[in-house]
Amino acid sequence: MEDVLKKLGIESVNAGGFNGQWIDDDKGGILKSVSPIDNRVLAEVKQLSAESYERVVARAHNAFLQWRLVPAPRRGEVVRQIGLELRKYKKELGALVTLEMGKIRPEGEGEVQEMIDIADFAVGLSRQLCGKTMHSERPSHRMYDQYHPLGVVGVVTAFNFPVAVWAWNTMLALVCGDSVVWKPSSHTPLTAIACMKIADRVLKANQVPDGVLGLAVGKGSVVGNMLVADRRIPLISFTGSTAMGKKVGQAVGERLGRAILELGGNNGIVVSNHGDLSMAVRTILFGAVGTAGQRCTSTRRIIVQESVYDTVLERLVKAYQSVRIGNPMEEGTLMGPLVSRAAVEDMMRALDEVRKLNGRIVAGGEELKNMPSDLYVSPCIVEAENHWPIVQEETFAPILYAIKYKTIEDAIRLHNDVPQGLSSSIFTLNLKEAEYFLSHAGSDCGIANVNISTSGAEIGGAFGGEKETGHGRESGSDSWKQYMRQQTNTINWSDALPLAQGIHFGDE
Ligand code: NAD
């Protein structure tokens, strides 16, 4: 552990603010980063007060005014170098993700790989920030649209993807010519500090203006509130719970700012009697138990055709019994701890609700004793009904609800009958069922898959959801457009002044 912290430049007490220079603020209070693995304090961070928050955003705004003038491919070159620097620190940064939030080592390193992948994607994008040319209805006129840098982007991230979500937003924002101020989760300030140090070496070597990347570790009630209400920040990209997202959406909406809201999911897999059941079982195990059920895309519901329901459940229970739970730093561990006592209590409260409704818990659902901390649980399968209030909610823990269906129409109705709309999947080898699921009458989620998990998205696709999962898209496809302002230009190269729609005004 000491080696990892040292290599990443983490001290025992760290400044939590950065605007090109580290800001040591004694007024914002100390935040302890505690590892869920064994409740050990990894290091301390000095949070920002309102005063030093101001220093971060003011510098970010000034930096934007310069950075937007740098040609986009040149901005892409800086991002390319950040990608190279991340490759050098993949192992250590991945290990710090594991230490700080408890996901297993391969998932921690996988998260850093996502950062590298989005950096590569953004490099290519830096030469493809293209608008369209349209034909004007007026003679000798040219019309086109173009995309300009937007401004300071405020990025607020959840604990469960402490580095990837920042990178999804930041690599795109950088090539788009924006500056970024990051408020990380209070569970994971050290990974944020480590990322900033890695990226800053590249920025300094390229004489990028101070403040293009900023960090604001601080309390939600201070830094969070100020950031979302800040009129100098035209775009807030918020990742977190639906409850918090609603507040953020209101605050940003009140000032008519832009918001990307990446909120909670309630992701279902439909398992058809036409599906490959062994592939389905392996996938469900990864989807529901991976990251200890703490992914926004974790599989929370399986909707299984009644003729294969008993077989699927039986195989799943067996698979759950083989899951090795323990220290996520150790090889072979498949599931580490939950992030906090509050998360364990939420899980236990959800299971109490299930019991009140006479729901049958067929596997797991216990707090584990004699572990290195009080945050380890066994992953759980519950036979449930879709309409139960607890099934309609996202409990951020490894609880999987099993629900039966008769017809594919039933399955899709049940699948969509929740408030959230993030990720979804169907296991079937029947072409008609697969196409139905992906059609406009099928899944209502932002992500819909066939024969793969709800979790484990690639960076090339746009990532995001519908309904109470929020709106907007991050990462691939054309998500970049949200980080720029679109401008339509019409140029008259004639000697006349024709008006659109054939309108004559005065002598014209
Ligand atoms: P959370 O809502 O508790 O916190 C999210 C972020 O909001 C943190 O950085 C927190 O410090 C910050 N915050 C707190 N008070 C604030 C305030 N007043 N103003 C602004 N920000 C404030 O969520 P969490 O427990 O960290 O993460 C888990 C949740 O995130 C789950 O619901 C999960 O589904 C969701 N999530 C969604 C996605 C997605 O892409 N849809 C991805 C990851 C996580």
Side-chain angles (χ1 to χ4, degrees):
M1 176 193 114
E2 277 74 22
D3 278 1
V4 168
L5 297 179
K6 195 166 165 216
K7 188 119 192 250
L8 294 169
I10 303 294
E11 316 272 341
S12 53
V13 182
N14 302 271
F18 181 75
N19 66 358
Q21 309 301 323
W22 287 95
I23 300 172
D24 223 350
D25 185 341
D26 290 320
K27 294 197 208 114
I30 289 284
L31 174 65
K32 288 187 167 106
S33 172
V34 180
S35 175
I37 298 174
D38 52 8
N39 286 337
R40 184 172 8 168
V41 175
L42 297 170
E44 295 184 347
V45 179
K46 293 183 181 179
Q47 301 181 105
L48 291 196
S49 62
E51 218 170 87
S52 38
Y53 162 84
E54 180 55 35
R55 286 173 59 196
V56 175
V57 177
R59 182 70 72 82
H61 188 256
N62 280 338
F64 162 69
L65 298 177
Q66 301 165 58
W67 182 238
R68 65 181 176 168
L69 302 177
V70 174
R74 175 70 203 134
R75 299 194 295 251
E77 168 55 20
V78 173
V79 169
R80 189 184 71 82
Q81 293 176 33
I82 296 177
L84 293 179
E85 200 67 9
L86 284 167
R87 282 171 168 87
K88 286 191 211 154
Y89 291 92
K90 178 173 168 182
K91 206 162 154 233
E92 290 76 14
L93 189 55
L96 185 56
V97 168
T98 296
L99 285 167
E100 223 179 10
M101 67 68 64
K103 64 175 69 171
I104 58 173
R105 285 295 294 277
E107 290 182 324
E109 286 188 25
E111 201 179 326
V112 181
Q113 185 60 44
E114 276 190 62
M115 305 174 81
I116 295 167
D117 293 344
I118 192 71
D120 288 356
F121 179 92
V123 177
L125 188 63
S126 69
R127 291 180 188 267
Q128 299 175 74
L129 303 169
C130 310
K132 285 184 177 157
T133 304
M134 304 87 175
H135 289 266
S136 170
E137 67 184 63
R138 289 169 278 189
S140 303
H141 279 57
R142 187 163 72 81
M143 191 160 64
Y144 73 110
D145 62 19
Q146 57 178 336
Y147 288 87
H148 290 312
L150 183 67
V152 183
V153 177
V155 176
V156 183
T157 53
F159 79 86
N160 64 327
F161 275 90
V163 293
V165 173
W166 170 72
W168 293 352
N169 284 281
T170 299
M171 301 307 150
L172 296 195
L174 285 179
V175 298
C176 289
D178 301 330
S179 56
V180 176
V181 173
W182 180 13
K183 191 209 122 20
S185 160
S186 298
H187 286 295
T188 54
L190 301 183
T191 46
I193 290 169
C195 288
M196 208 51 59
K197 292 195 170 181
I198 290 170
D200 184 49
R201 279 194 286 278
V202 176
L203 301 193
K204 292 275 190 309
N206 285 275
Q207 287 94 45
V208 171
D210 272 0
V212 163
L213 291 185
L215 178 68
V217 175
K219 293 178 183 151
S221 56
V222 180
V223 167
N225 284 349
M226 289 179 80
L227 190 78
V228 300
D230 198 322
R231 288 178 189 276
R232 291 166 296 182
I233 303 184
L235 170 64
I236 295 286
S237 176
F238 175 87
T239 301
S241 58
T242 295
M244 187 57 73
K246 284 182 179 170
K247 291 185 192 156
V248 169
Q250 273 177 13
V252 179
E254 203 273 327
R255 61 180 173 92
L256 298 181
R258 267 187 215 180
I260 298 173
L261 297 174
E262 300 283 1
L263 314 176
N266 195 346
N267 316 295
I269 295 185
V270 173
V271 184
S272 156
N273 48 325
H274 301 295
D276 178 328
L277 300 188
S278 57
M279 268 175 68
V281 167
R282 272 160 42 213
T283 299
I284 294 164
L285 183 71
F286 168 70
V289 174
T291 326
Q294 299 172 114
R295 284 188 182 215
C296 52
T297 51
S298 288
T299 308
R300 310 220 173 271
R301 295 176 299 143
I302 48 169
I303 301 158
V304 188
Q305 211 281 331
E306 58 183 7
S307 65
V308 293
Y309 179 87
D310 289 342
T311 313
V312 168
L313 219 59
E314 202 178 296
R315 291 196 201 171
L316 262 178
V317 170
K318 216 163 149 200
Y320 266 53
Q321 281 158 357
S322 69
V323 171
R324 195 161 136 195
I325 305 162
N327 187 333
M329 291 293 276
E330 284 170 13
E331 214 179 307
T333 299
L334 277 190
M335 192 179 117
L338 295 185
V339 71
S340 63
R341 271 313 291 172
V344 175
E345 280 155 21
D346 274 355
M347 176 170 172
M348 295 306 143
R349 223 180 349 256
L351 294 177
D352 286 345
E353 287 299 310
V354 161
R355 287 188 195 96
K356 278 189 209 149
L357 293 158
N358 296 323
R360 207 163 76 86
I361 298 173
V362 292
E366 275 132 27
E367 287 189 50
L368 301 180
K369 308 285 170 226
N370 304 321
M371 301 299 274
S373 78
D374 52 355
L375 302 177
Y376 293 80
V377 296
S378 54
C380 176
I381 307 174
V382 175
E383 289 194 276
E385 293 189 31
N386 198 63
H387 63 86
W388 290 352
I390 194 64
V391 178
Q392 296 277 313
E393 276 174 34
E394 178 199 54
T395 302
F396 216 54
I399 302 178
L400 178 68
Y401 296 111
I403 297 151
K404 258 185 221 171
Y405 79 86
K406 277 188 201 308
T407 65
I408 186 70
E409 288 78 14
D410 272 351
I412 289 177
R413 184 181 47 76
L414 287 165
H415 174 273
N416 290 347
D417 194 10
V418 289
Q420 309 81 356
L422 181 54
S423 186
S424 60
S425 182
I426 187 168
F427 270 78
T428 185
L429 300 175
N430 177 312
L431 182 70
K432 281 192 199 166
E433 282 186 347
E435 288 292 339
Y436 180 19
F437 188 74
L438 301 181
S439 78
H440 40 272
S443 162
D444 62 1
C445 291
I447 298 168
N449 299 328
V450 176
N451 296 332
I452 63 162
S453 178
T454 54
S455 76
E458 293 180 29
I459 59 93
F463 185 92
E466 302 291 333
K467 304 195 290 185
E468 288 200 358
T469 298
H471 51 245
R473 294 292 183 270
E474 281 174 347
S475 200
S477 188
D478 58 357
S479 309
W480 62 270
K481 289 183 176 167
Q482 294 159 110
Y483 301 82
M484 303 199 84
R485 66 184 167 86
Q486 185 177 21
Q487 185 178 68
T488 305
N489 308 116
T490 310
I491 301 148
N492 176 4
W493 53 280
S494 75
D495 299 323
L497 281 172
L499 295 175
Q501 295 89 42
I503 294 171
H504 290 277
F505 193 75
D507 291 340
E508 289 301 320

